[in-house]
Amino acid sequence: MYTNAGTLSFDLAEGLVRLGGEARLVVPASALMALWGGASPAARRVFGRALGESIGRAAAKRLAPEGADLTSTMLDASPEAALSELAAAWALAGLGALDLERWGRALVFVVGGSPLGADGDELCEIALEGALSMASGKSARVVRIERIEARARFFVSNAGATARMRAELAQGTVWAEVLAELDGPSSRGDA
């Protein structure tokens, strides 16, 4: 019986892998990326979102007392506890190490050591959106803002701010400058 929301179990006799009662697959990263590369943008979005929602659900379940609303549990947790559970669920999915940086009011997630490499950054973007939306009950948008070797940074915000970030990055603006502008007085409506 699989009852602990955070238990990863391998039932070799039955050929099953489960995380918190949810069936899992162990798939080579290269096979996943081959499938990803051949998928349509819509299929990529559906897959990435489902993967992320599973991660967010697993993180929220680990924080939730029995029978509690998962979204309120994640929002009521300390930022450290929420990040710890989200990072653990991300790691158990095999997507690398997840950490968080604050840049003013902006949230920037850092993924290190992902077996998907740079080609998997789009999948990480979409999966982070799904995980954060599921875990918080609020819509989240994510855009990769930087990759240096095996570490990628992802800006998390609303649709407008992430669209602006994408546009500025496409024009060659440095992401830290865009974050500073988004965090500035004019972005808050201050005079």
Side-chain angles (χ1 to χ4, degrees):
M1 174 175 260
Y2 304 96
T3 57
N4 186 331
T7 301
L8 179 65
S9 63
F10 294 84
D11 183 339
L12 299 179
E14 296 293 323
L16 298 174
V17 179
R18 294 190 186 277
L19 177 60
E22 183 178 18
R24 297 290 175 144
L25 299 175
V26 178
V27 177
S30 60
L32 178 61
M33 290 313 297
L35 184 62
W36 183 260
S40 70
R44 287 179 179 200
R45 187 132 195 92
V46 168
F47 175 78
R49 190 77 184 190
L51 175 63
E53 288 173 356
S54 175
I55 291 167
R57 190 177 309 104
K61 280 182 179 180
R62 287 179 54 101
L63 284 171
E66 190 73 29
D69 175 38
L70 296 183
T71 55
S72 67
T73 300
M74 187 61 88
L75 291 175
D76 292 343
S78 71
E80 296 80 14
L83 174 62
S84 177
E85 294 304 337
L86 192 59
W90 188 265
L92 284 170
L95 295 175
L98 184 66
D99 203 355
L100 179 67
E101 299 175 343
R102 299 277 278 138
W103 289 77
R105 293 180 303 144
L107 294 177
V108 175
F109 278 89
V110 179
V111 175
S114 172
L116 305 178
D119 291 340
D121 285 350
E122 179 188 14
L123 176 53
C124 287
E125 279 183 9
I126 299 168
L128 271 172
E129 283 181 8
L132 294 169
S133 295
M134 173 59 70
S136 70
K138 298 181 181 223
S139 179
R141 298 297 296 197
V142 177
V143 61
R144 186 203 58 157
I145 57 175
E146 177 182 62
R147 171 167 279 286
I148 299 175
E149 297 176 10
R151 285 179 40 124
R153 282 190 168 100
F154 297 89
F155 170 57
V156 178
S157 192
N158 59 40
T162 55
R164 180 171 173 202
M165 177 64 81
R166 281 187 199 281
E168 293 287 340
L169 291 174
Q171 293 178 357
T173 308
V174 176
W175 62 269
E177 292 176 14
V178 181
L179 288 182
E181 289 174 15
L182 289 170
D183 200 33
S186 63
S187 69
R188 292 190 298 265
D190 300 343

